[in-house]
Amino acid sequence: MISGDPRLARRSVWLVVLNWNGRDDTLELLSGLRSEPAQILFVDNGSTDGTIDAVRQSYPEVRTLQLGLNRGFAGGNNAGISMALSEGAEIIGILNNDTIVEAGFLAPLVDALADFGPTGRLERAVSPDIRYSDAPELSWWRGSTLDYRSGWPRHLTKDEQAPADGAEIPTPLLTGCCMVARAETWRRVGEFDERLFLIYEDSDWSMRATSAGVQLLVVPESRIRHKVSRSFTGRANALGSYYFARNGLIFAWRHLGVRPTLGFLRDHVLRRSAGEALRRREFGPGAMRLLGVSAAVMGRRGPAGRIADGAARRLATSWSTRSAQARY
């Protein structure tokens, strides 16, 4: 393990950092993690930008796992968590590669997992206070809520967020941007649902964790900064609309019931798409959402199929062409 905070010296703590073509962000993050007392496991989802070679050259102390193909957020993190469990990790966290950590961020998270109640150690999973990288005075995430009317798990707004005064904050959902739990909690709740592939996996895991009796907490004493959706550009942005609609319907149906599922369809697919078409004459994201609805109804899971992927490529090309024309 990397040397650091003496509170963690005798614990086996692993951090899984998943990457897909994010070389520069990953190298910046790993530089900040060098002072953290954890074994870093870098998992590469079949990148083509040379990230894994750069990591091996610049950070030889970092363990690496090359998957060879893009298994999505769920599959990539599952592979890392499984490896950490097989090697005896006691505490395992996942951390987005487009984050910047503040020195000592890990110790408060691990401390929160060590708390004891009247009947023994509390089973918990935790996330830090996550700030915007370009506006660190503002929290991108400091807790979530479930909107049962529209079937939508969302971040708390600035006005809804509890004060960042050091007290742990209960939350119904954690964020996959950074979440940490003990090995027995990962085993008990299970892995991320790879049928979702991308988006909503953390909310689905959180709901299953709560059902298993795991307490979910924000730990404000721990802070990181997030560059926010660095991987959602071009084709990936178009596919994001597809996964948002498909997985949102799956999540609402699985965990919330009929009315929230219909509310999600109404508010976050139909009304949003109609608003984009009427106000901006933008039809592409709405079309991708409707493909996502079709996939949810037809039981298509995992990565987007040929039709959705082709539509996303055409939409990304259209956006690129319009952007180029606007510059001239």
Side-chain angles (χ1 to χ4, degrees):
M1 275 196 301
I2 302 167
S3 63
D5 194 313
R7 289 178 290 177
L8 311 185
R10 287 189 290 274
R11 300 175 184 173
S12 179
V13 182
W14 284 54
L15 280 177
V16 176
V17 175
L18 179 65
N19 170 73
W20 181 70
N21 290 322
R23 181 180 181 276
D24 292 343
D25 286 335
T26 297
L27 294 177
E28 182 181 10
L29 170 63
L30 293 179
S31 176
L33 288 175
R34 265 190 155 152
S35 62
E36 294 297 327
Q39 174 62 62
I40 309 303
L41 173 59
F42 170 76
V43 181
D44 190 77
N45 252 347
S47 297
T48 57
D49 65 350
T51 308
I52 196 161
D53 291 334
V55 168
R56 286 169 174 164
Q57 180 177 354
S58 300
Y59 300 97
E61 73 276 13
V62 170
R63 301 284 295 274
T64 60
L65 177 62
Q66 171 63 274
L67 299 182
L69 75 165
N70 187 356
R71 290 177 53 183
F73 175 94
N77 277 304
N78 284 346
I81 293 166
S82 178
M83 180 174 172
L85 289 171
S86 71
E87 300 216 10
E90 297 176 37
I91 294 171
I92 304 169
I94 62 171
L95 180 63
N96 273 17
N97 70 320
D98 61 347
T99 57
I100 301 169
V101 299
E102 296 191 5
F105 87 101
L106 187 57
L109 298 173
V110 173
D111 285 348
L113 299 178
D115 283 355
F116 282 78
T119 59
R121 186 168 57 207
L122 300 171
E123 189 162 11
R124 292 173 158 181
V126 296
S127 290
D129 182 353
I130 304 176
R131 304 298 180 98
Y132 287 95
S133 64
D134 56 355
E137 72 279 6
L138 299 176
S139 290
W140 173 76
W141 184 90
R142 198 192 306 150
S144 297
T145 188
L146 274 169
D147 184 345
Y148 283 87
R149 180 181 176 275
S150 67
W152 186 33
R154 63 173 178 82
H155 295 194
L156 294 176
T157 65
K158 179 182 177 181
D159 291 338
E160 293 171 326
Q161 292 169 355
D165 57 4
E168 295 163 353
I169 305 167
T171 179
L173 305 166
L174 296 179
T175 171
C177 180
C178 180
M179 52 194 292
V180 182
R182 301 189 67 84
E184 54 262 39
T185 302
W186 287 109
R187 291 191 180 97
R188 183 176 180 184
V189 178
E191 61 186 12
F192 294 107
D193 186 351
E194 295 189 29
R195 295 171 296 178
L196 299 177
F197 190 74
L198 184 70
I199 306 179
Y200 284 94
E201 317 92 321
D202 48 1
S203 295
D204 174 75
W205 190 92
S206 295
M207 296 295 282
R208 290 188 283 120
T210 299
S211 295
V214 178
Q215 185 181 22
L216 308 181
L217 295 170
V218 186
V219 182
E221 188 181 349
S222 172
R223 291 184 182 180
I224 66 173
R225 288 172 281 156
H226 189 207
K227 298 172 186 175
V228 185
S229 300
R230 281 291 185 96
S231 61
F232 280 86
T233 59
R235 168 176 161 265
N237 187 23
L239 282 172
S241 296
Y242 168 87
Y243 290 121
F244 174 81
R246 186 194 70 176
N247 294 348
L249 288 171
I250 293 170
F251 173 86
W253 180 261
R254 180 182 292 175
H255 296 292
L256 306 179
V258 175
R259 286 190 176 183
T261 303
L262 294 176
F264 181 88
L265 178 64
R266 176 193 65 229
D267 291 350
H268 301 294
V269 177
L270 300 179
R271 285 181 178 171
R272 179 181 293 190
S273 300
E276 291 167 345
L278 291 172
R279 289 193 300 270
R280 304 199 307 266
R281 306 295 293 173
E282 176 63 80
F283 301 96
M288 294 303 301
R289 291 187 198 104
L290 291 178
L291 286 173
V293 171
S294 174
V297 173
M298 299 297 292
R300 299 191 187 101
R301 304 295 185 260
R306 179 177 54 83
I307 293 175
D309 190 63
R313 290 180 185 276
R314 290 190 294 273
L315 181 56
T317 300
S318 171
W319 286 338
S320 179
T321 301
R322 278 188 285 172
S323 177
Q325 290 173 343
R327 290 197 296 267
Y328 295 97

